Amino acid sequence: MAAVDRFSLLYREISRSCSFYIEALAIVGAWYTVRKCVSLAFDTYSALRLHVIPKLSGEIDLVKKYGKWAVVTGGTEGIGKAYAAELAKHGVNIILVSRNKEKLEAVSRSISETYQVETDFIVADFSKGRELYPALKEALKDREIGILVNNVGMFYAYTDYFTNLSEDTLWDLIHVNIASATMMTHIVLPGMVKKKKGAIVNLSSAVCCQPTPMLTVYGASKSYLDYFSRALHYEYASKGIFVQSLMPFVTTTKMLAFSSTISKRSIFFPTAEEYASHAVSTLGLSIRTTGYWKHAIQFTLGECLPEWMWAWIALYLSRILRKQALAAKAK
């Protein structure tokens, strides 16, 4: 009987202790659930505000909000060309900056005739480095620049290992992807600050959300643009300047022509025109965005993956793309 009494007392003490811990865990679980629900609600609202509401609420007067001229670097192909056309559709005059004079003339004329806006162009090869910026500064000094789109960028010939890249390629990546946006911003930003309005859009890339092997230098250069954009926005927001980091996933442009798999339009890979149409509608709403709702879903899923898993998948796919490119090159 004494043993039974002792067991009964022990059981009651254990039950009392467990009850306390169960209640504590229940409180923690309830708090976690509430936080997740609030976070989900906030993310849903943000997505609707960024990708749905702007399409329903009508066009924003970009000329009134930022200024009558936009400078678009790398504006003769791909996203740059499509973004310039989308700005022109909103009545913004366009200055294209690229290295090919014939393409500049053709795109400039096409935009002017299609959207009835003024256009101009400047021939500049950003791979030349420091020597071309004094001329660019002189060419833009009397312009009322309201929007700067730092789109010009250089990709690998195909996904490859770091040591296979030539020194010339490495310097070109640095000059075109990093130096161009930095120096163009340095040229245009003082005029925006003086007017107390303006927008700067820097084309980063979704590959910088996680370390991406076989795109090492490209991804690192886009990470620079992402950091540069976000820090610059906080530095100049009080002066009326909006700075945006655009981080697209794959779009079907000539930059990816080395692969027959990812250069074709699909449900996941929009055309440059489709992407630009959505991206322009996010201007002034988000300082860091993929610019396109399908890309936003992909980006969110990518961030959820552990770094090692993202890197493993990226390395596996990059090896396949490299093999395809080399096989096509050998034909």
Side-chain angles (χ1 to χ4, degrees):
M1 195 63 157
V4 173
D5 289 341
R6 285 196 295 272
F7 177 76
S8 177
L9 289 169
L10 178 62
Y11 177 77
R12 284 199 298 272
E13 288 298 320
I14 292 173
S15 296
R16 192 179 295 115
S17 298
C18 286
S19 178
F20 169 77
Y21 289 119
I22 289 171
E23 289 176 2
L25 288 172
I27 292 171
V28 172
W31 172 245
Y32 177 81
T33 302
V34 169
R35 283 191 61 187
K36 282 295 180 183
C37 288
V38 170
S39 177
L40 179 61
F42 180 77
D43 290 344
T44 302
Y45 167 74
S46 297
L48 291 172
R49 173 178 170 270
L50 190 60
H51 299 294
V52 178
I53 295 175
K55 291 292 184 181
L56 301 176
S57 60
E59 295 183 354
I60 298 173
D61 189 341
L62 296 179
V63 175
K64 183 178 179 181
K65 189 172 183 180
Y66 299 116
K68 61 184 180 180
W69 284 92
V71 175
V72 183
T73 65
T76 57
E77 292 180 352
I79 292 176
K81 178 182 176 182
Y83 203 103
E86 193 65 29
L87 289 176
K89 191 184 295 184
H90 287 74
V92 181
N93 299 325
I94 304 296
I95 301 173
L96 301 172
V97 186
S98 191
R99 63 182 177 179
N100 189 304
K101 185 178 180 181
E102 288 72 25
K103 287 183 179 180
L104 282 168
E105 289 175 338
V107 175
S108 178
R109 183 169 56 253
S110 175
I111 290 175
S112 178
E113 292 174 353
T114 303
Y115 302 106
Q116 302 303 305
V117 297
E118 292 183 57
T119 59
D120 200 354
F121 63 84
I122 302 171
V123 179
D125 183 353
F126 288 101
S127 67
K128 298 300 182 182
R130 189 171 180 173
E131 65 186 55
L132 79 156
Y133 293 104
L136 278 170
K137 186 174 183 179
E138 181 66 23
L140 295 172
K141 70 176 183 178
D142 296 323
R143 302 283 193 173
E144 184 193 332
I145 308 300
I147 302 172
L148 169 65
V149 183
N150 286 311
N151 164 79
V152 68
M154 177 182 170
F155 197 66
Y156 289 13
Y158 47 83
T159 52
D160 209 346
Y161 297 96
F162 174 71
T163 51
N164 288 343
L165 303 176
S166 67
E167 287 189 10
D168 287 342
T169 298
L170 293 175
W171 278 115
D172 286 347
L173 283 162
I174 292 168
H175 287 311
V176 176
N177 292 7
I178 296 176
S180 65
T182 307
M183 296 311 299
M184 287 299 295
T185 301
H186 197 260
I187 289 170
V188 171
L189 186 56
M192 293 181 175
V193 172
K194 188 175 181 180
K195 294 181 300 169
K196 296 184 178 179
K197 66 178 182 178
I200 298 170
V201 180
N202 293 320
L203 265 291
S204 180
S205 170
V207 300
C208 74
C209 78
Q210 296 261 33
T212 305
M214 297 185 75
L215 287 176
T216 304
V217 181
Y218 176 80
S221 69
K222 294 300 183 178
S223 294
Y224 169 88
L225 289 181
D226 181 46
Y227 180 95
F228 174 67
S229 304
R230 291 150 66 193
L232 195 69
H233 175 80
Y234 290 115
E235 190 172 337
Y236 283 92
S238 63
K239 301 182 188 299
I241 314 301
F242 181 85
V243 185
Q244 183 183 61
S245 172
L246 269 185
M247 307 173 70
F249 262 90
V250 177
T251 57
T252 54
T253 64
K254 288 184 179 180
M255 186 179 283
L256 301 175
F258 67 87
S259 170
S260 59
T261 304
I262 59 177
S263 60
K264 295 178 181 178
R265 184 186 180 279
S266 73
I267 189 172
F268 299 109
F269 306 154
T271 63
E273 290 74 21
E274 288 173 322
Y275 177 80
S277 176
H278 283 80
V280 170
S281 70
T282 70
L283 189 59
L285 297 177
S286 175
I287 66 171
R288 189 178 191 243
T289 175
T290 60
Y292 186 51
W293 68 272
K294 292 180 182 179
H295 286 184
I297 295 171
Q298 296 172 52
F299 188 87
T300 301
L301 293 175
E303 284 191 312
C304 291
L305 291 177
E307 184 178 301
W308 67 268
M309 186 178 293
W310 169 281
W312 184 86
I313 293 171
L315 186 59
Y316 176 77
L317 293 175
S318 293
R319 283 170 173 164
I320 292 174
L321 295 175
R322 180 176 185 271
K323 188 176 181 180
Q324 288 179 352
L326 291 174
K329 190 177 180 181
K331 289 181 181 179

